[in-house]
Amino acid sequence: MRHTLPIAPQFYVTAPQPCPYLDGRMERKLFTALQGDNAEKLNNSLSQQGFRRSQNVLYRPSCADCSACLSARIDVSAFSPRKSQRRANKRNTDLVRRATSPWASEEQYELFRTYLDSRHADGGMADMDVFEFAAMIEETPIRSRVIEYTKEDSRTLIGVSLTDVLSDGLSMVYSFYAPDMPQRSLGTYMILDHIRIAQDANLPYVYLGYWVPGSQKMGYKSKFAGLEVYMGGKWQKMSDPQNFEPNTHPLSTDPIAEQVANISLPDTRSTR
């Protein structure tokens, strides 16, 4: 018997686990598989509705009594750098960018381990081995790139971003960099460089993942002009991050069935 994939994506919910951003709260995710001939269309459509990709899965926070996590993106046409961001650009003029197919290397993994051990030693990815790292980089059913940043003089790798190319922008799936060079502000610089790439490619947005008001880990995202957040089923411009507070009201999240019913799916009918 021949088995085929379901016509419409099937959505599921993860079991609750401790939230990595807000103390004392539990997180839960709504997710679906990213596979088949229409993976590209599905990724484009759901990314525009606040979903993120992890390997061959698309997910969005769906906590039972909290909606603090907000998907964030930069409108590149509305972006202008701050003084500190212009300084970050100047400090990194000696870096060379190289965009490659999504293949993992030992050099990438060594940098990844150094980054995790320094910045996220107690995080969910802390125990990731080289094979899991390779899967994170290489298991992608859509158009993805690994963007590497090396020092021009020594060719030392000091920054990496796994980046998806969407129909309306670039999605920075995961980034890591040398943690012992704080003067370079490498995290900020890589976002600035992605804005340049998007501008050169006439792509309107750079997707940054989730921003959580009140979370110091996510605070850097609110410093970029042109930032938009996905709230109430639509993208909204962020004028002042101080106007946003984490929504932890027990009725802030719609029931799962209602969330799924409100997801817009791409038209996958054949045009032939």
Side-chain angles (χ1 to χ4, degrees), residues 26-39:
M26 302 295 287
E27 74 165 358
R28 190 179 65 175
K29 295 183 177 73
L30 179 68
F31 70 96
T32 189
L34 184 62
Q35 57 189 345
D37 295 339
N38 297 307

Side-chain angles (χ1 to χ4, degrees), residues 63-170:
C63 304
D65 56 359
C66 177
S67 59
C69 292
L70 303 174
S71 187
R73 70 184 186 186
I74 297 170
D75 177 353
V76 301
S77 67
F79 173 76
S80 59
R82 296 184 174 192
K83 285 185 178 179
S84 60
Q85 293 164 348
R86 289 196 293 268
R87 289 196 295 268
N89 275 327
K90 290 180 180 178
R91 293 190 191 110
N92 291 286
T93 55
D94 63 326
L95 297 189
V96 176
R97 178 215 302 153
R98 178 171 175 260
T100 70
S101 298
W103 293 106
S105 69
E106 291 185 8
E107 189 178 19
Q108 291 170 11
Y109 181 66
E110 290 176 3
L111 180 61
F112 173 74
R113 283 266 33 117
T114 302
Y115 173 78
L116 283 187
D117 293 343
S118 174
R119 296 294 184 90
H120 304 287
D122 58 348
M125 303 172 76
D127 297 327
M128 185 178 287
D129 62 27
V130 66
F131 301 104
E132 293 168 321
F133 173 77
M136 179 182 76
I137 297 294
E138 297 175 7
E139 289 185 9
T140 170
I142 55 129
R143 188 182 175 196
S144 302
R145 295 289 184 270
V146 171
I147 301 180
E148 299 181 337
Y149 297 89
T150 58
K151 295 175 69 175
E152 188 174 21
D153 55 355
S154 63
R155 298 185 180 180
T156 303
L157 181 68
I158 64 171
V160 176
S161 176
L162 174 61
T163 302
D164 289 347
V165 183
L166 308 178
S167 61
D168 68 342
L170 302 175

Side-chain angles (χ1 to χ4, degrees), residues 79-80 82 84-85 219-225 227 238 241:
F79 173 76
S80 59
R82 296 184 174 192
S84 60
Q85 293 164 348
Y220 69 94
K221 297 180 183 180
S222 64
K223 296 179 181 179
F224 286 86
L227 196 72
M238 179 187 290

Side-chain angles (χ1 to χ4, degrees), residues 34 39-40 42-44 47 51-59 100 102 136-147 161-175 194 197-198 203 205-208:
L34 184 62
E40 200 89 40
L42 184 63
N43 188 49
N44 286 327
S47 293
F51 280 76
R52 295 285 290 170
R53 184 182 72 83
S54 177
Q55 293 172 237
N56 59 353
V57 169
L58 288 171
Y59 68 91
T100 70
M136 179 182 76
I137 297 294
E138 297 175 7
E139 289 185 9
T140 170
I142 55 129
R143 188 182 175 196
S144 302
R145 295 289 184 270
V146 171
I147 301 180
S161 176
L162 174 61
T163 302
D164 289 347
V165 183
L166 308 178
S167 61
D168 68 342
L170 302 175
S171 176
M172 300 181 71
V173 177
Y174 192 78
S175 301
H194 275 68
I197 297 171
L203 293 170
Y205 300 109
V206 173
Y207 289 81
L208 300 181

